[in-house]
Amino acid sequence: MNRLAAVDLGASSGRVIVGSVGSGAVHLTEVARFANTPVQVQGTLHWDILGLYQGILDGLDAAGPVQSVGVDSWAVDYGLLDGDGRLLGNPVHYRDARTDTVVSPVPAAAHYAATGIANQPFNTVFQLLAAGGTAQLDSARTLLLIPDLITYWLSGTIGAERTNASTTGLLTAGGGSWDLPLVARLGIRASLLPPLRDPGTVAGPMLHAPETLVTTVASHDTASAVVGVPARTDRFAYISCGTWSLVGVELPSPVLTTDSFEAGFTNETGVDGTVRYLRNVMGLWLLQECMRAWGPAVTLADLLSGAAAAPARRSVVDATDPRFLAPGDMPARIAAALKETDQPVPADPYAMTRCILDSLALAYRRAIDDARRLTGRPVDVVHLVGGGAQNALLCQLTADACELPVEAGPVEAGALGNILVQARALGLIPADLPSMRALLRSSRRYEPRAAQAVG
């Protein structure tokens, strides 16, 4: 039975996808999709983790018999378990404001030198500092990141998968171990941190279906998405584009220079000891929040059609600006940023959409140019994977801005990477990354246009 289930949790929805490997390709079938809707309770934004888990169980039931199941999700957020292994409250959302005023006792440059992780207010380390002194944290015995929590509920085993653990800001650079001296300086109890495990480790049989293995995959969805990049050489940059855009290159070791720190790059652990050297860009969150403000009468197809006809690069914002992180009136925040820089404010949703897409493409270019400069890694092609690969205008604008060809797709790169790691753990496919990626294909290639053709 060559059937594997990927549980792929995103910021707005979750999916259960069944994959099989054969005939030199990976075949996916989505069997379930369910909403992931955060909940505000007494001023704090939470994930509805039990609703998500029920969606996962229903999806696995719909999938039918599978050999293995693996879980990936967004990074940094966590659940806390008590001494009996029971969850102490719903996990807090990384977009919650509780970390806005947190100051770390460890200087940012020293923290970067130790961990290689960029100083981002939503990182696990800042969430833990914000939670310091609360009854919940004082009562907790174990911290589990979201995919580790789901894996625990499915298998009954506790561990911290390495690619996701690297995003906490508590792991040594390169992901070798928990940085216990740093943890002590931060005033965080080391006993909260579970044993590390690598992608491809079998966590155990599924509790309610012992014939199915629960396999630890690259549980940070970006780590799975980078496995799912159909690269043919190492001379590539990637953009994992969804609610967030993660833009970078794959390296054999971290870059911990002062220039790298000041440029806002992070060194997250990838599969097989690789490093995902990347910069966070706000991504399609900017457009999603604008659409929420505009209401259901405005469709994405209409917006993209109108944006394609709008003047190019008339107004742009910094798509890494933290002012855009929180939920709320995104059109007003973009307008305020444009006024501060004496740029025209878009007069309608079409022009605003063009502003967002131009801003993203230029942010991608800056990130790729900086990654090349800081690492010396040549880039011949940009692989844009994830949901953004369906946005033809964004893909073309990215090719134009980067002056490089863009290979768009696969859309379900995260699920593909999840399935590939499971398949390798079960001995169904070759073991090395290039051979795994040889099973994958891009969906479309965009060539950069001359400057006059851009607008």
Side-chain angles (χ1 to χ4, degrees), residues 317-339:
V317 295
D318 178 3
T320 65
D321 191 329
R323 78 174 74 194
F324 303 130
L325 177 63
D329 190 344
M330 190 64 71
R333 278 181 282 169
I334 292 174
L338 292 171
K339 290 175 182 176

Side-chain angles (χ1 to χ4, degrees), residues 117-134:
I117 298 302
N119 188 35
Q120 301 276 12
F122 48 76
N123 285 351
T124 313
V125 60
F126 292 105
Q127 294 196 43
L128 286 170
L129 291 172
T134 62

Side-chain angles (χ1 to χ4, degrees), residues 47-57 87 89-91 149-150 153:
W47 297 104
D48 180 10
I49 193 66
L50 296 182
L52 279 176
Y53 187 59
Q54 187 61 58
I56 291 166
L57 294 179
L87 184 65
N90 276 346
L149 177 62
I150 301 299
W153 283 343

Side-chain angles (χ1 to χ4, degrees), residues 103-112 114 119 126 129 181-187:
V103 177
S104 172
V106 178
H111 198 140
Y112 189 83
N119 188 35
F126 292 105
L129 291 172
L182 175 67
V183 170
R185 288 181 67 188
L186 291 164

Side-chain angles (χ1 to χ4, degrees), residues 5-8 69-72 215 217-218 224-225 227 413-423:
V7 175
D8 183 34
V69 57
V71 183
D72 69 80
T215 302
V217 297
S224 277
V227 173
L416 282 164
N418 182 320
I419 293 293
L420 286 172
V421 170
Q422 291 185 66

Side-chain angles (χ1 to χ4, degrees), residues 263 265 277 279 365-375:
F265 275 83
Y277 185 71
R279 179 185 287 160
R365 180 182 73 185
R366 288 192 295 272
I368 291 169
D369 285 349
D370 286 345
R372 290 193 286 190
R373 172 177 59 85
L374 292 164
T375 67

